[in-house]
Amino acid sequence: RLLLRDAVAAINDAAADPRVAGLSAQFGMAGELPLAQAQELHAAIRGFRAAKAEAPTVAWADEFVGRQYYLGSAFQDVYVQPGSQVSLPSLSTELPFLRGFLARWGVKFEAVKRSEFKNALDQFTEKSATPDQQKATYRLLRSLFEEMSADVAAARGVSARQLRRLCARSTELTAAEATRARLLSGTRYADENADAVAKEAGTRAKLSLASYHRKIKLQKEKRAFRERVASAGAGPAALDEVAKALPALKDFTGGGSAAAPAADGAAADG
């Protein structure tokens, strides 16, 4: 599995790589990403689209659920399986309160607030949310939802107001409704999507994002290795010094071209 920073770096590298012909992703039923991580990936995908306007970017899922759709909306084309639904992103939170539990054990928690909205310790001092905590929590969720709505609206070419109106009516849309609202590009089965992506990219060669990241990372390390060798001199002592600094690259002390991240025209597959 890729770390978030590695996934973002791989997408950014692909955006500048002339050998990469497109970006595609297939969403499964795994749990949703935390919002902050989804936002970083969303921005990276939008950046890929801007840098490679001619390259296809396609997201496909059996069905989109919540923040999955938020992330998928960053792609130029978004498809689901026929007959599926799209759950638009929404936010909620739980506010646990422990005052009653602590009282059963004879524990009383005392805290001093600086102002009414400093409510981090309310879970220990209150039995339920105070009006001020409800107000603060609502404003936080509303602010985050407006950020998500703005990102989705910009990516799909619809107005944020239209999107909020759809969410207010229902966060569950059929594929047909989502397509009419321009939140989807249409419906496809998985094999149809794979064929269409290959046709648009002009190749069936593909790499997972993890494999692409490893290849690019190795290519950069080899380049840095050769630069250090060149700057240190060509003698055995210089090679040994560099090999110690980069032990994983001892086998690359010779010449040869850097390994390409994929065949010419390959598509990076998320």
Side-chain angles (χ1 to χ4, degrees), residues 76-229:
Q76 178 68 41
D77 295 309
V78 187
Y79 294 92
V80 294
Q81 185 169 266
S84 297
Q85 288 189 316
V86 174
S87 297
L88 298 179
S90 60
L91 295 170
S92 64
T93 190
E94 294 182 356
L95 301 174
F97 294 93
L98 304 176
R99 177 179 168 180
F101 172 78
L102 294 174
R104 289 166 54 188
W105 297 91
V107 178
K108 183 178 180 181
F109 194 94
E110 295 183 356
V112 177
K113 285 187 177 182
R114 186 173 181 177
S115 64
E116 65 274 19
F117 293 113
K118 298 293 185 179
N119 51 47
L121 298 179
D122 280 10
Q123 61 181 316
F124 301 110
T125 61
E126 305 292 337
K127 292 184 176 180
S128 61
T130 64
D132 292 326
Q133 187 177 18
Q134 291 179 8
K135 185 176 182 179
T137 302
Y138 171 77
R139 286 184 175 179
L140 173 64
L141 293 177
R142 182 179 179 85
S143 175
L144 293 174
F145 179 74
E146 287 175 349
E147 285 185 20
M148 294 174 67
S149 298
D151 287 344
V152 172
R156 303 309 306 154
V158 301
S159 71
R161 182 178 179 182
Q162 175 190 350
L163 184 61
R164 288 195 296 270
R165 192 161 53 238
L166 283 171
C167 290
R169 189 185 71 189
S170 174
T171 57
E172 298 286 338
L173 301 178
T174 66
E177 290 173 330
T179 301
R180 286 196 296 271
R182 292 188 293 166
L183 301 180
L184 287 180
S185 304
T187 59
R188 289 174 176 169
Y189 289 105
D191 58 337
E192 294 174 335
N193 184 68
D195 291 341
V197 170
K199 183 177 181 180
E200 289 182 69
T203 178
R204 285 191 174 274
K206 64 180 181 179
L207 280 177
S208 70
L209 203 59
S211 296
Y212 178 78
H213 173 70
R214 287 193 297 269
K215 288 180 178 293
I216 288 294
K217 183 179 179 181
L218 179 59
Q219 182 178 328
K220 289 179 178 179
E221 288 175 344
K222 288 173 64 179
R223 186 182 302 117
F225 176 87
R226 294 194 183 95
E227 289 174 355
R228 292 188 64 178
V229 170

Side-chain angles (χ1 to χ4, degrees), residues 41 52 63 70 74 86 141 161 164 241 256:
L41 288 170
K52 284 182 172 285
E63 63 178 14
Y70 169 74
V86 174
L141 293 177
R161 182 178 179 182
R164 288 195 296 270
E241 187 275 328

Side-chain angles (χ1 to χ4, degrees), residues 52-77:
K52 284 182 172 285
E54 75 291 347
T57 58
V58 183
W60 183 90
D62 288 324
E63 63 178 14
F64 280 108
V65 179
R67 286 193 289 275
Q68 280 189 343
Y69 177 75
Y70 169 74
L71 184 55
S73 70
F75 291 77
Q76 178 68 41
D77 295 309

